[in-house]
């Protein structure tokens, strides 16, 4: 008879080992999934995890893509992880990402075709503010009216997507675009471009921002009072209240930080890799970032690694689509599976398994 | 009775049809939450029900089997959730999200090659002369059997929770799992049963979207209906009758905005599309700003149960 015994404190060894275990299990289950689709499972897994980095034919193209895709994922996931730690559930990062891109792009396009070094910083600020304000809607509704922040933040994603199509077809549409949806190309306008900073690395300002966010979050959680409040609220909400932590302030702060970071990610995406506001520029980074945050165990360094791994599945997934005809949706299912396995094996961190006979 | 180019009778009749998916999913989720578990994976279960129901119905040519297939797929997804939260004691919010993310991916994978096909028709229940009554006939008596099933389920669930011993036990588990456990009730078994039921309901609701409401298969076909269903449970303060009201309200809004789009309203299409979500948020705010803490919420909602002895 198997019995679970709650550990007094989560096991450190397992908290490092479980993400690795989850990735391995996902590879096995994913292999079965690919085999069911009639693809060679070993080739599929190798194409996803190995070829983008080491295949001499593709690596030159794929390696820079790693940072391009990991940048927004890490940036968003860092913000989300702060809230998740404190039990504040912002699951609408996708919406904040879209709105940040819209406000940032709008701020820039208002000045088109002026050329100035100040335009890009202005757009960055506008993007962060847009994401922040969009995240303030669920946060303020939560603190003032006690409205469930999970539902509101998620429902606002659908509103943001409708807003995006309205903007791409209307206010922000390229007047010289021949009536096609989508804004002017921001990456080709010198003042708004977010170019590759070091050739061949994929490093753009968004990636720089992501690295800064990782360092910032690390210091915040380890050395700052706010970080302590966040961790304390997550572990013992009652104790936190006695210690004088204001739950409302924490909700506002967690939503504010995650919204601003998601908005930044959106702005860097439309000025760089995506190049313009279009109907489908978002790519679901806001949702995948939730998986990244958990895979990284809500730890900044972990998120950095998890973001890179998740980026790899995006790139490898595209490669598998191209080389083996594995459908894009299979990769999405594959990423979802990863979160499942992660949550499943997490029990090893928090509980000890005892084998004992049934008590008489 | 035309208002701005919209026929009121047709509007009410389509409202009832449009509310079925949300109603089914919200009823199921209400039972799950009454047992003390918060399953945020409704959207994932619905869309898996939608694709499975569609594939089964098209392959067999029988819509009834399609709905059963949808229910089975929803329950299978719910089984994963039950495994995670009841056996492996994982966080419920995260597990629900995982279910939705996984369901969206898997459904689009399963649905490949099924686009652009028309599913077998789910016919109206022949109610004879009743359907010929002016105004009331088209609104109430000329629908398919799923509409009537969903209404019967409202009554059945209300009766089950209110008047049966099993319903009382289910509520007890949701209010205090420690106390229910001490009384000898199998908390995890009861919750697992509720979760599976909720999954089957969401799956059937999803199948209704792809088999009747749209009717065809496209990726992401449920477009947030699962999240609106979750919101309706809160709106309804966990009461079946109010779930019905909520589903009609949102069915009404979605039908109205579609009709306005078709009638060539001056409001841009995108703003009409976002209206059901915005109104859901507004209603949530109104409900939660009212009296005290979330009224009627089971006390142990969302807490993990681990019997230490």
């Amino acid at each position: 008879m198997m019995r679970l015994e709650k550990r007094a404190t989560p096991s450190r060894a397992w908290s490092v080992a479980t993400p690795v275990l989850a990735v391995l299990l996902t590879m096995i289950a994913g292999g079965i999934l690919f085999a069911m689709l009639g693809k060679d499972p070993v080739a599929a897994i190798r194409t996803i995890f190995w070829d983008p980095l080491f295949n001499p034919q593709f690596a030159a193209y794929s390696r820079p893509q790693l940072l391009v895709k990991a940048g927004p994922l890490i940036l968003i996931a860092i913000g989300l992880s702060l809230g998740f730690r404190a039990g504040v559930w912002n699951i609408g990062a996708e919406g904040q990402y879209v709105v940040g891109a819209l406000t940032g792009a709008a701020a820039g396009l208002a000045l088109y075709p002026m050329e100035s070094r100040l335009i890009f910083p202005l757009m960055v600020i506008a993007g962060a503010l847009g994401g922040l304000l969009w995240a303030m809607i669920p946060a303020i509704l939560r603190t003032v009216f006690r409205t469930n922040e999970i539902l509101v933040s998620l429902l606002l994603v659908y509103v943001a997507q409708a807003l995006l199509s309205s903007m791409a077809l209307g206010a922000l549409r390229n007047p010289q675009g021949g009536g096609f949806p989508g804004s002017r190309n921001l990456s080709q306008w010198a003042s708004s471009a977010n170019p590759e900073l070091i050739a061949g690395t994929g490093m753009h300002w968004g990636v720089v921002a992501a690295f800064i966010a990782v360092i910032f979050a690390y210091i915040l959680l380890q050395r700052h009072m706010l970080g302590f409040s966040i961790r304390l609220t997550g572990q013992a909400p009652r104790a936190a209240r006695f210690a004088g932590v204001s739950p409302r302030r924490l909700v506002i702060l967690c939503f504010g930080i995650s919204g601003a970071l998601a908005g930044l990610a959106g702005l860097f995406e439309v000025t760089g890799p995506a190049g313009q506001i279009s109907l489908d520029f978002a790519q679901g980074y806001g949702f995948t970032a939730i998986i990244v945050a958990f895979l990284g165990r809500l730890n900044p360094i972990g998120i950095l690694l998890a973001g890179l791994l998740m980026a790899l599945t995006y790139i490898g997934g595209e490669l598998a689509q191209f080389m083996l005809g594995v459908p894009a949706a299979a990769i999405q299912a594959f990423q979802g599976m990863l979160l499942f396995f992660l949550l499943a094996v997490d029990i090893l961190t928090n509980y000890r398994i005892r084998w004992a006979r049934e008590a008489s | 009775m035309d208002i701005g180019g919209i026929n009121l009778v047709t509007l009410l009749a389509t409202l009832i049809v449009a509310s079925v998916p949300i109603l089914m999913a919200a009823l199921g989720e209400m039972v799950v939450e009454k047992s003390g578990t918060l399953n945020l994976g409704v959207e994932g279960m619905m869309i898996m029900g939608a694709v499975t129901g569609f594939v089964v119905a098209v392959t067999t040519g029988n819509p009834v089997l399609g709905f059963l297939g949808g229910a089975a797929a929803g329950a299978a997804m719910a089984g994963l959730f039950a495994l995670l939260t009841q056996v492996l004691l994982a966080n419920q919010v995260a597990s629900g999200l995982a279910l939705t993310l996984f369901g969206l991916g898997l459904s689009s994978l399963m649905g490949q090659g099924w686009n652009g096909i028309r599913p077998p028709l789910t016919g109206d229940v022949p109610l004879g002369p009743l359907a010929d009554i002016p105004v009331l006939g088209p609104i109430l008596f000329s629908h398919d059997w799923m509409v009537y099933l969903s209404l019967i389920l409202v009554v059945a669930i209300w009766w089950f929770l209110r008047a049966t011993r099993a319903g009382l036990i289910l509520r007890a588990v949701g209010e205090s799992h420690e106390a229910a456990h001490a009384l000898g009730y199998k908390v995890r078994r009861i919750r697992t049963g509720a979760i599976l039921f909720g999954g089957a309901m969401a799956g059937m609701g999803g199948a209704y979207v792809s088999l009747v409401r749209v009717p065809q298969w496209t990726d992401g076909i449920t477009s947030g209906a699962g999240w609106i269903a979750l919101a309706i449970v809160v709106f309804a303060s966990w009461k079946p009758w109010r779930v019905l009201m909520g589903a009609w309200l949102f069915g009404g809004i979605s039908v109205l905005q579609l009709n306005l789009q078709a009638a060539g309203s001056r409001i841009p299409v995108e703003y009409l599309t976002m209206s059901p979500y915005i109104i859901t948020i507004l209603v949530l705010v109104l409900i939660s700003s009212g009296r005290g803490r979330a009224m009627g919420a089971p006390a142990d909602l969302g807490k993990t149960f681990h019997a230490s002895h």
Side-chain angles (χ1 to χ4, degrees), chain B residues 134-228:
Chain B
V135 183
L136 280 183
I139 295 176
L140 292 177
F141 300 116
S142 41
H143 292 301
D144 55 80
W145 60 275
M146 275 291 287
V147 171
Y148 301 112
L149 176 68
S150 65
L151 295 175
I152 292 167
L153 280 167
V154 175
V155 183
I157 288 171
W158 168 77
W159 175 78
F160 169 79
L161 288 174
R162 189 189 159 90
T164 68
R165 186 169 171 77
L168 181 66
I169 294 169
L170 183 100
R171 284 189 286 142
V173 168
E175 290 299 335
S176 169
H177 47 220
E178 293 292 349
H181 174 68
L183 286 170
Y185 295 123
K186 306 284 184 197
V187 172
R188 296 202 292 187
R189 204 171 295 169
I190 291 163
R191 284 189 173 160
T192 304
I195 291 168
L196 291 176
F197 173 76
M201 291 287 282
M204 277 177 103
Y208 195 81
V209 178
S210 61
L211 289 178
V212 180
R213 183 78 187 107
V214 175
Q216 56 172 320
W217 168 255
T218 49
D219 278 2
I221 195 172
T222 46
S223 59
W227 294 102
I228 292 186

Side-chain angles (χ1 to χ4, degrees), chain A residues 232-257:
Chain A
L232 185 62
T233 308
Q235 283 163 5
R238 254 171 76 81
R241 236 170 300 149
F242 287 128
V245 178
S246 155
R248 290 176 175 215
R249 202 172 134 249
L250 214 56
V251 170
I252 298 279
L253 276 170
C254 288
F255 264 93
I257 295 172

Side-chain angles (χ1 to χ4, degrees), chain A residues 3-356:
Chain A
R3 209 161 50 84
L4 295 171
E5 198 177 275
K6 185 141 180 111
R7 292 179 194 268
T9 52
S11 154
R12 274 177 169 258
W14 274 117
S15 70
V16 176
T18 44
V20 179
L21 184 61
V23 171
L24 290 176
L25 286 171
T26 312
M27 284 187 184
I28 296 169
I32 296 170
L33 176 75
F34 296 134
M36 278 161 63
L37 290 167
K39 314 288 174 199
D40 176 6
V42 178
I45 297 295
R46 201 191 54 227
T47 312
I48 294 172
F49 289 99
W50 182 264
D51 285 354
L53 296 179
F54 302 111
N55 185 311
Q57 202 184 337
F58 306 115
Y61 166 77
S62 309
R63 272 189 208 155
Q65 284 293 310
L66 196 64
L67 286 183
V68 170
K69 307 264 184 209
L73 288 175
I74 294 170
L75 201 52
I76 301 172
I78 285 285
L80 294 181
S81 69
L82 297 178
F84 290 175
R85 270 182 181 247
V88 178
W89 295 95
N90 174 10
I91 61 173
E94 181 79 4
Q96 293 138 25
Y97 169 84
V98 166
V99 171
L102 287 176
T103 50
L109 287 169
L111 301 170
Y112 186 88
M114 203 168 98
E115 293 284 356
S116 161
R117 275 164 181 270
L118 295 174
I119 291 178
F120 189 66
L122 174 78
M123 290 170 77
V124 170
I125 294 168
L129 268 180
L132 180 116
L133 290 176
W134 199 250
M136 276 305 114
I137 302 173
I140 288 172
L141 293 181
R142 164 88 223 180
T143 49
V144 178
F145 300 112
R146 280 167 297 209
T147 314
N148 185 316
E149 84 279 14
I150 303 177
L151 292 174
V152 175
S153 63
L154 193 283
L155 287 167
L156 282 172
V157 174
Y158 293 95
V159 179
Q161 280 165 350
L163 199 64
L164 169 65
S165 51
S166 159
M167 289 299 151
L169 297 167
L172 293 183
R173 185 167 65 185
N174 183 356
Q176 288 147 6
F180 282 103
S183 72
R184 283 181 198 280
N185 194 311
L186 296 164
S187 63
Q188 285 170 8
W189 170 30
S191 294
S192 73
N194 171 23
E196 200 174 23
L197 296 174
I198 307 167
T201 57
M203 175 84 95
H204 61 74
W205 285 113
V207 181
V208 176
F211 285 138
I212 295 172
V214 169
I215 297 166
F216 211 75
Y218 185 80
I219 295 170
L220 181 79
L221 288 169
Q222 297 295 327
R223 294 272 177 271
H224 194 273
M225 189 62 197
L226 174 63
F228 176 71
S229 305
I230 287 174
R231 286 191 295 154
L232 185 62
T233 308
Q235 283 163 5
R238 254 171 76 81
R241 236 170 300 149
F242 287 128
V245 178
S246 155
R248 290 176 175 215
R249 202 172 134 249
L250 214 56
V251 170
I252 298 279
L253 276 170
C254 288
F255 264 93
I257 295 172
S258 54
L261 290 183
L264 275 180
L267 181 272
F268 288 128
E269 190 68 17
V270 288
T271 50
Q276 57 166 172
I277 295 283
S278 61
L279 290 172
D280 54 357
F281 85 90
Q283 296 202 48
Y285 283 145
F287 290 118
T288 315
I290 297 174
I291 306 179
V292 171
F294 280 109
L295 184 62
R297 302 213 61 99
L298 308 183
N299 172 307
I301 311 292
I303 288 171
L304 180 68
L305 298 173
L308 289 168
L309 182 76
M310 223 47 184
L312 189 61
T313 65
Y314 265 106
I315 304 158
E318 279 172 13
L319 203 57
Q321 214 177 320
F322 175 62
M323 296 297 293
L324 305 170
V326 173
I331 305 304
Q332 212 187 336
F334 188 77
Q335 292 173 342
M337 234 187 258
L338 180 56
L339 186 49
F340 264 129
F341 281 115
L342 196 66
L343 293 166
V345 294
D346 212 21
I347 191 169
L348 297 168
T349 315
N350 296 317
Y351 294 86
R352 201 174 269 126
I353 295 172
R354 292 247 185 255
W355 299 91

